[in-house]
Amino acid sequence: MSLDELMRQRREKLAQWRALGIEPYAYRFEPTHHAADLLALGAAVTEAPGETVRVAGRLMAIRGHGKAGFAHLLDGSGRIQLYFRADHLGESFRRYELLDVGDWVGVAGSLFRTRTGEITVRVDAVELLAKALRPLPEKWHGLKDPETRFRQRYADLFMNLEVRETFRRRARLTSAMREFLDARGFLEVETPVLQPLYGGAFARPFVTRHHALDMDLYLRISNELYLKRLIVGGLERVYEFSRDFRNEGMDRSHNPEFTMLEFYQAFADVHEMMDVTEALIAGAVERACGTRQATYQGQILDWTPPWPRISMLDAVSDAVGESVRDLDRARLERVAASRGMAARPGTGAGGLLDELFSVLVQPGLVRPCFVVDYPVELSPLARVKRGHPAVVERFEVFAAGMELSNAFSEQNDPEAQARAFEDQGRRREAGDEEAQQMDHDYVRALEYGMPPTGGVGIGIDRLTMLVCDARSIRDVILFPQLRPEEGRAEIDHEADEETAGRAGRGSAT
RNA sequence: GCGCCGCUAGCUCAAUUGGCAGAGCAACUGACUCUUAAUCAGUAGGUUGAAGGUUCGAUUCCUUCGCGGCGCACCA
């Protein structure tokens, strides 16, 4: 039957409710229990009716038997069976007959156990809370189509209950992190999403337009430089769950907007931040999963500290079978070439090392670990390693082959920071769109003096993937980015018209 | 951006070499007062993602486009 016809039938029932003098979209209902509470209560129930209970939710199945009927009601806690009888409900049995799968109802009744043993509410009274005009997906196979699941996450959430669990886990993970940081004296802060300069990471930004100021603004790719300004201001320990935006490709581990936890601690270096990070993450994983040994795609990831600490120089040297610890560019280029990896022009020794690392080492980093000793040229915001000026005091956390976290002993020498920005500026001029922009105000802040500081960023979406055994970042973002359903051509057309209507500026790219 | 795969009823899926587009569930009608993928009898439901082409005839073959999935590339 066509969707139009199915919806027409439901609208007809809606009219019949109104004909009974009942408003099909109620204003309130007061449940006394959730379904899960009733199942727990019902464990003690035998045959005799117990106290009156009130429960509300969405009808997920109706099984009619003439003058009686069963239904399953789904609420935020789970399912409970309802039993309707004509001789028990009298006149209002008519209400039961007007119910459809998908309707929101509130019922009052008493608990009993059916002949087959299922804890059930014998309904004394039923109220319609909201009529569902649209038919639900099929009861047995459910809603599978990934496109529909992402576009209509509301339907995904009531058809696929494990999806609810994913987002509950995500929330437990972040609240555990907040509690951990709050308990250690960190202050949760909020910094600008709209930034006149973008910095703190290498990425292409989204550009937007402020009409009153007549200027372009960038959606932040990172909040790092703002948090460190707060350290300059003396807040000493700050954190923010930052929605960041990067105008890049999308795949299993990248969504254009994603969530990063960044935290900064005055007087700490990268070594101290490693200890903090592994304690923070291990505790949060334990809270989210109930264990520190979380299964991911068939492998057990053990988050129990301490995690191995691996030097990038050692790891790549081991992988290629000769030492590249001296970061000799000619040697690295030869090693890369021998593995069929063509160095892009302008790539320095550090870039080559990083590429070798990404291909040869990273996929094998299954268990959570720290990678340290990053080449200085890749890290304009970090301090050089004491006694080893070719690398910086930085770590990244990897697990299941995925990068989860990035941290350093923060650069607090304003002149060194200015030189690093200038170096980035030269790369920009050479065509590197992702090179960072000179931020004079940030340098000015450092000129007032920033204490030694350790800073960490953790990719919350990716960590959630690992904790929820999700293969795609789309599974852990409630509304992942998709192209519009109507199709791109139409949208482009509208956008063109709008741009054409504006005075004097094309779109910035 | 490139490659491969997919898009058929509200949902989940079929359809042989190109030959009348089907099933289950959901819906509707009837029977049924402890069912649970309820059961039984019946009914209805389609612009096969869109446009174009080849053909007597296209869900099927070709082209373009849209959306999605996977992989690669880009990307920390």
Side-chain angles (χ1 to χ4, degrees):
Chain A
M1 186 165 302
S2 74
L3 179 59
D4 280 351
E5 178 62 11
L6 291 167
M7 291 185 70
R8 194 197 58 73
Q9 286 169 1
R10 283 167 179 252
R11 285 202 181 85
E12 172 56 28
K13 288 188 186 171
L14 184 81
Q16 291 182 46
W17 280 97
R18 289 198 165 118
L20 290 175
I22 296 168
E23 168 53 41
Y25 297 96
Y27 282 89
R28 70 190 305 268
F29 184 85
E30 233 170 271
T32 55
H33 297 78
H34 276 111
D37 304 329
L38 296 178
L39 295 180
L41 267 182
V45 167
T46 50
E47 292 290 321
E51 58 175 322
T52 293
V53 298
R54 295 164 62 83
V55 63
R58 186 191 292 278
L59 291 177
M60 299 303 289
I62 299 174
R63 294 178 293 280
H65 291 266
K67 299 279 188 295
F70 290 89
H72 269 106
L73 176 139
L74 174 70
D75 70 7
S77 72
R79 288 167 191 265
I80 181 86
Q81 182 169 256
L82 308 180
Y83 182 43
F84 300 87
R85 279 177 72 109
D87 58 6
H88 195 65
L89 284 160
E91 289 278 300
S92 53
F93 190 69
R94 178 65 187 145
R95 298 185 180 190
Y96 153 77
E97 290 177 321
L98 288 176
L99 291 174
D100 283 312
V101 170
D103 290 350
W104 284 88
V105 298
V107 300
S110 53
L111 282 184
F112 76 109
R113 211 178 260 278
T114 64
R115 196 172 289 165
T116 51
E118 179 159 353
I119 295 158
T120 301
V121 177
R122 186 192 319 273
V123 175
D124 299 328
V126 56
E127 290 179 36
L128 181 62
L129 303 181
K131 184 73 192 163
L133 296 180
R134 200 170 275 276
L136 262 51
E138 199 240 352
K139 65 182 175 189
W140 190 244
H141 298 93
L143 176 60
K144 289 188 167 174
D145 177 39
E147 181 171 354
T148 311
R149 288 185 48 227
F150 298 146
R151 286 194 198 282
Q152 302 184 31
R153 185 67 95 179
Y154 36 88
D156 193 27
L157 284 164
F158 61 67
M159 292 306 298
N160 297 311
L161 298 189
E162 68 280 5
V163 176
R164 296 180 172 186
E165 177 54 22
T166 293
F167 291 101
R168 290 194 169 116
R169 270 191 193 208
R170 182 174 175 134
R172 287 202 297 274
L173 191 78
T174 52
S175 33
M177 289 176 145
R178 279 201 169 86
E179 283 171 34
F180 178 98
L181 293 167
D182 290 344
R184 290 183 177 227
F186 284 82
L187 183 71
E188 183 168 14
V189 297
E190 295 179 87
T191 64
V193 173
L194 296 175
Q195 302 181 351
L197 296 171
Y198 58 95
F202 301 101
R204 292 177 60 188
F206 288 91
V207 187
T208 189
R209 185 79 196 148
H210 192 296
H211 296 304
L213 291 178
D214 190 28
M215 66 182 293
D216 284 337
L217 288 169
Y218 303 102
L219 273 62
R220 67 181 169 199
I221 60 173
S222 158
N223 60 350
E224 166 157 358
L225 299 182
Y226 283 93
L227 291 183
K228 285 190 286 196
R229 284 173 168 95
L230 300 179
I231 298 290
V232 169
L235 291 181
E236 291 191 8
R237 294 185 179 197
V238 293
Y239 73 96
E240 180 176 18
F241 282 90
S242 173
R243 186 73 61 89
D244 294 342
F245 305 84
R246 297 189 184 174
N247 206 340
E248 289 161 356
M250 297 154 61
D251 63 26
R252 240 180 46 236
S253 57
H254 296 81
N255 194 64
E257 56 183 296
F258 63 101
T259 303
M260 185 93 95
L261 166 63
E262 295 214 21
F263 57 99
Y264 290 81
Q265 178 172 334
F267 316 123
D269 66 5
V270 77
H271 302 290
E272 184 165 356
M273 297 319 278
M274 275 192 254
D275 298 338
V276 175
T277 299
E278 61 188 3
L280 167 71
I281 293 180
V285 167
E286 184 165 15
R287 178 82 70 82
C289 299
T291 170
R292 291 181 166 188
Q293 281 92 37
T295 301
Y296 184 69
Q297 302 295 302
Q299 315 181 80
I300 291 176
L301 305 182
D302 188 349
W303 296 89
T304 308
W307 305 340
R309 302 176 182 198
I310 300 163
S311 162
M312 185 186 246
L313 296 172
D314 293 343
V316 174
S317 297
D318 289 350
V320 301
E322 63 180 295
S323 177
V324 293
R325 290 176 184 81
D326 58 359
L327 283 167
D328 179 75
R329 193 181 181 288
R331 184 200 309 275
L332 283 161
E333 188 164 0
R334 175 174 54 71
V335 166
S338 76
R339 286 164 199 272
M341 293 156 58
R344 276 168 302 179
T347 307
L352 286 165
L353 183 79
D354 186 50
E355 252 171 73
L356 287 164
F357 174 82
S358 303
V359 173
L360 301 175
V361 179
Q362 182 178 333
L365 298 177
V366 174
R367 65 164 302 183
C369 64
F370 293 105
V371 173
V372 300
D373 293 345
Y374 280 74
V376 65
E377 69 185 79
L378 301 179
S379 314
L381 300 166
R383 304 194 67 180
V384 296
K385 182 172 176 172
R386 285 158 275 190
H388 196 333
V391 299
V392 292
E393 298 207 357
R394 172 179 180 183
F395 71 75
E396 291 196 355
V397 174
F398 289 86
M402 224 170 11
E403 178 198 337
L404 279 187
S405 176
N406 186 16
F408 1 98
S409 295
E410 304 294 340
Q411 179 57 270
N412 63 344
D413 174 340
E415 289 171 347
Q417 185 63 73
R419 284 195 298 274
F421 276 139
E422 281 156 14
D423 176 55
Q424 289 287 311
R426 282 189 287 278
R427 286 173 201 226
R428 235 185 138 64
E429 278 162 31
D432 183 353
E433 275 188 83
E434 299 190 337
Q436 300 196 19
Q437 296 172 295
M438 166 62 78
D439 187 334
H440 291 289
D441 176 70
Y442 179 66
V443 173
R444 177 168 63 188
L446 294 187
E447 286 167 352
Y448 280 106
M450 183 171 84
T453 298
V456 179
I458 297 174
I460 296 299
D461 310 277
R462 290 182 182 177
L463 183 57
T464 305
M465 287 170 66
L466 297 182
V467 156
C468 296
D469 199 13
R471 286 189 52 214
S472 168
I473 200 167
R474 294 183 201 91
D475 295 325
V476 300
I477 291 176
L478 279 166
F479 299 99
Q481 198 56 243
L482 297 175
R483 286 195 168 87
E485 273 179 272
E486 299 75 19
R488 196 166 42 162
E490 201 174 326
I491 300 295
D492 280 353
H493 183 61
E494 287 170 17
D496 288 348
E497 282 179 344
E498 195 182 330
T499 308
R502 272 195 215 128
R505 275 197 87 91
S507 65
T509 37

